Structure formats: structure tokens, C-alpha cells
Amino acid sequence: WRSGGTQRLAKMVEPRDEDADAALAASAAGLALHAVVLDDFKSYSGRVVAEFNSRGIIAIVGPNGAGKSCLVEGICFALGLDLRSMRAQNLKALVNRTGRDDGVACAVSCVFRARSGAGALCVQRRAIAPADGPARSEFRVQSCSCGSFGWGVEHDQLPWPCDQCEVRVARRSELKALLLRELQLDVDRPDTFVVQQSACASIAQQTPLELLCFIEDFARTAHLRRGVEAEAATVGRLRASLAALGASLSRACAERTRRSPALDAAEELEACRLRLEAAKGAHLRLEIHHLSRAAARHEQAKAALHTALEAARGALQASRAREKEAAEA
């Protein structure tokens, strides 16, 4: 931590859990919280910068009143959460006026940076709360993808990470859509990414199953569980189908065993029928052969008879001719 004036600071501890670091490094390269800049926000007087340089688990520890909860509330404030998440009745209660009478504004900026590659996002919410007028807040956003990330405590453009990309004023609805798209955070459902101290007691009283569902919703892994449950249901249906198919196959085998003698007799009858058909075919071919030979002999006799008839007719004609000649003579 680097302070711009506060006397009460928490201590940031960064455990070197190599397994956690490796798991986070292997995760999808998205935007991760890089730093929080608080200006006169609640217990923080002046500018306080908290940098989160570790990719592992970050623990913030300190005595009561050191500002641990205030840091989380500042993040909630910057992301546009309701004032109830900051234990405040109105915007004026968020402004630190310590040692000054002219303190009328506070601001909290959250800087997100890509885990790998270029890309940064800065979200700032500023509360303007004059003592003699109504309070209001405004959001400003800078989305950087040009790669000229130059953020640091000594950076001239603090808290904005880039001096090239535009800083624009945004409505809360625009901020909500941006956070949902870039960070998968639904600011209308803060219970999915932040746990308030007031909710710890009720969470501790949950059953193991309720606690598991709560953690899954918080870690955004409920869809994975639903996917596993759907796959398990599919596997169950497939197993039931296989069991039904096995039962049908067993019944078919039992029925075949029961009908085996009849099936053998039917097969023998079918074999006899085939042999009979073969015999009939052989007999028919033999009959056709005999008829063909008889027809051939008949044709031969017919031809011989025709030849003899023609010869007799010729002899008769010759005999008549001779008789006629004798009569004329």
C-alpha cells in the first residue's frame, strides 16, 4: 500500500501459493483487479492507493478500524452498488471531511488489467456532496486496448491507466452493461461477487448443500454443476436403455431355447422341401430330354416316309407314261 495521507492503513499479505498462482495463470486471460484508488472516501483521508500485483490469493489483514471493510465498500461504490452495501444512508456520509471544512466530494477508482496481453479498464465513481445542497454521483470510464498501459503511483494520469484513450462519462446502465460484458459482474446482484459482513452469520448457518450452492453461485461454477448433472442424467438414461436392451436380448434367447425343437423340425422340413423341389426339377429335365429325343425320331421317320412317298409317286408316273406309250404303239 502507498498512502497519500491516511494514518490508519491495513496491511496487505500476498501468500505465495504456487498451486493457486499456476491455476490462475492457466485460467482464461481476462481482466483482473489491479488497483483501487480512494480519494477522501469514508475513513480514508486524502488519496490512498492499493495495488494488487499478485495473481494469487490476496489477503487484507489489520486491526479493527484499519479500513479493511472500507476498501471493499469503496470497490462496491465504484462499481455502482446500492448505498446499503456501504453502510451509508446517503452520499454525504461517504465523504471524509477530516481536517477540512471544504470537503464536498469523494471518489473511488477501480483499475482492471488483462492477466496477459494488452488491455485495461478503469471505472471511477465520484460523489459530489456539498453541505448546503443535494448530493449526486457520476461515473467515468476508460477502456484501453491500445497497449500503452502506464499505470503506477507516480503516473501523471492517476488513476487513469492510459493517456491515449478517452475518459468518458457513463450512465449507470452503460456501466452495468460494460461490467457484465468485460468482467461478468452483475452489479444488480452483488451477492454473486461480494459477501457483506452482515451476511456471514446467515451463511455460517447454512446446510452443507446450501453452502455448496452458495459457493458455486459466488464462483460462477453453477453452470458447470448443471452441465455435469445433465451429463449424469444422460448417462443414466443410456444405462437404462442398455439394461432394457439386455433384458430384451435375454428374453429372446430364452424364447429361442424354448422353441429350439420346433425350429429344428421346421429347418428339417424346409430341407426336405428343398430336396423335393430339386428332385422335381431333375425329373422334369429328364422328361423334357426324353420328349426331345422322341420328337427327333418322329421327325426322322416323317422325313423317311416323305422320301419313300416321293419315290413311289415318281415310279407311278413313269409306269403310266410307259403304259401310254405302249397303247399308242
Side-chain angles (χ1 to χ4, degrees):
W1 285 55
R2 294 179 174 89
S3 170
T6 184
Q7 299 300 315
R8 297 182 302 168
L9 287 179
K11 180 182 179 182
M12 182 169 65
V13 182
E14 300 179 0
R16 303 308 302 168
D17 189 338
E18 296 181 358
D19 293 339
D21 285 351
L24 287 173
S27 63
L31 293 174
L33 184 62
H34 179 73
V36 179
V37 181
L38 305 103
D39 292 293
D40 292 318
F41 181 79
K42 295 194 76 173
S43 64
Y44 292 108
S45 177
R47 168 163 288 181
V48 177
V49 178
E51 292 185 81
F52 306 99
N53 295 319
S54 173
R55 293 182 301 170
I57 298 174
I58 296 176
I60 302 172
V61 298
N64 292 338
K68 303 183 298 297
S69 299
C70 186
L71 175 62
V72 177
E73 292 170 355
I75 297 173
C76 294
F77 173 73
L79 297 182
L81 270 65
D82 189 83
L83 292 178
R84 290 173 297 180
S85 302
M86 287 144 266
R87 300 176 296 175
Q89 298 295 326
N90 50 53
L91 290 174
K92 292 183 178 181
L94 301 177
V95 180
N96 186 302
R97 304 175 187 270
T98 304
R100 295 187 303 172
D101 296 330
D102 59 345
V104 296
C106 67
V108 179
S109 306
C110 292
V111 180
F112 300 90
R113 187 177 182 180
R115 291 190 178 95
S116 63
L121 173 68
C122 181
V123 177
Q124 183 187 81
R125 185 179 184 184
R126 187 165 180 259
I128 303 171
D132 56 350
R136 61 185 178 85
S137 68
E138 65 178 17
F139 296 95
R140 292 195 292 172
V141 175
Q142 183 186 62
S143 182
C144 172
S145 59
C146 66
S148 59
F149 185 90
W151 200 93
V153 174
E154 296 80 10
H155 186 52
D156 295 336
Q157 302 294 327
L158 194 70
W160 309 109
C162 178
D163 56 3
Q164 302 293 328
C165 298
E166 177 188 8
V167 178
R168 60 185 180 86
V169 178
R171 295 190 298 268
R172 186 183 182 279
S173 58
E174 296 173 339
L175 177 65
K176 175 186 174 181
L178 177 65
L179 295 176
L180 189 61
R181 181 178 69 251
E182 299 292 341
L183 303 175
Q184 291 76 51
L185 294 181
D186 187 353
V187 295
D188 288 337
R189 294 188 59 201
D191 57 310
T192 60
F193 60 89
V194 64
V195 179
Q196 300 292 337
Q197 287 182 336
S198 58
C200 292
S202 61
I203 292 173
Q205 295 174 358
Q206 291 181 348
T207 64
L209 182 58
E210 292 173 342
L211 185 60
L212 176 61
C213 293
F214 170 79
I215 294 175
E216 287 177 341
D217 290 337
F218 193 84
R220 298 178 184 84
T221 58
H223 67 286
L224 299 177
R225 175 175 53 82
R226 290 191 292 268
V228 171
E229 290 175 349
E231 292 295 334
T234 301
V235 171
R237 289 193 296 270
L238 291 176
R239 286 179 176 175
S241 299
L242 288 175
L245 183 60
S248 299
L249 184 60
S250 299
R251 289 194 298 270
C253 291
E255 185 69 15
R256 178 176 176 80
T257 301
R258 186 177 65 83
R259 295 183 178 183
S260 182
L263 291 175
D264 292 341
E267 291 176 356
E268 183 64 25
L269 182 61
E270 180 65 15
C272 292
R273 187 185 68 79
L274 294 176
R275 289 195 297 270
L276 180 60
E277 292 293 334
K280 286 182 177 179
H283 180 70
L284 182 60
R285 287 192 296 273
L286 183 61
E287 288 291 333
I288 292 174
H289 177 68
H290 290 326
L291 288 176
S292 298
R293 292 183 63 182
R297 290 194 298 270
H298 177 70
E299 289 296 332
Q300 292 176 358
K302 183 178 179 181
L305 181 60
H306 180 70
T307 302
L309 182 59
E310 289 296 329
R313 184 178 297 169
L316 180 59
Q317 289 178 353
S319 176
R320 287 179 178 175
R322 287 194 299 271
E323 288 177 359
K324 183 176 179 181
E325 290 176 357
E328 289 179 354

